[in-house]
Amino acid sequence: MCPLSSCLPVSLSTYAKETIREFSPYVMSVAISDISGEGKMFLNLTTKEGKQFTVEQSSMGFQVVGFMLDSSNVTDQPIYETPAALLNTISREYTRAFANHLIDKLQALAEDQFIFSLTSCQLGGD
């Protein structure tokens, strides 16, 4: 549990929406599951490979609880601390998508720095 949780209350719904935003670029689809309620938040997740999961999101982390959407019939699955750790385990395409996203960001940064260096150059003169 977060030591700041008593002074910074965050609803499960808000937490889930932030997780969906984090997952979205790396999966085919992700949404709050219809089986969510009363202190439990579940996400329906379809990987880029088309595999479907129901994932429970809790203060402990992320745990696959179903191998179909809107299901909670699987127990004894590992709990992952982050969405990235979960996706890295269940989706090979996640790794590729994340790497491509990182490469794109690094290339954009390199281009920005190159443009900055060109515009800040002073050609000799007195």
Side-chain angles (χ1 to χ4, degrees):
M1 185 66 96
C2 173
L4 300 176
S5 62
S6 59
C7 53
L8 294 173
V10 176
S11 72
L12 285 174
S13 174
T14 300
Y15 188 38
K17 287 175 185 171
E18 190 61 30
T19 300
I20 288 169
R21 187 185 63 73
E22 190 173 336
F23 271 131
S24 290
Y26 309 111
V27 298
M28 194 177 299
S29 68
V30 60
I32 295 174
S33 171
D34 292 338
I35 64 173
S36 297
E38 290 309 311
K40 292 206 176 223
M41 184 58 64
F42 297 93
L43 301 173
N44 284 333
L45 177 81
T46 303
T47 66
K48 288 195 176 274
E49 298 90 345
K51 295 188 279 184
Q52 296 182 332
F53 299 92
T54 301
V55 175
E56 181 177 2
Q57 179 176 356
S58 70
S59 61
M60 302 273 298
F62 302 87
Q63 182 179 33
V64 172
V65 294
F67 295 111
M68 297 184 315
L69 303 181
D70 293 319
S71 65
S72 178
N73 56 357
V74 176
T75 58
D76 72 353
Q77 292 294 305
I79 298 173
Y80 300 92
E81 290 184 20
T82 65
L86 170 68
L87 286 174
N88 209 30
T89 302
I90 64 173
S91 174
R92 287 183 185 215
E93 285 299 314
Y94 161 73
T95 306
R96 184 179 325 224
F98 183 82
N100 287 337
H101 187 147
L102 184 58
I103 288 167
D104 292 345
K105 293 284 187 182
L106 290 171
Q107 285 175 335
L109 179 60
E111 289 170 10
D112 288 348
Q113 288 179 339
F114 179 71
I115 290 169
F116 177 75
S117 69
L118 288 177
T119 58
S120 62
C121 276
Q122 291 185 0
L123 299 175
D126 292 321

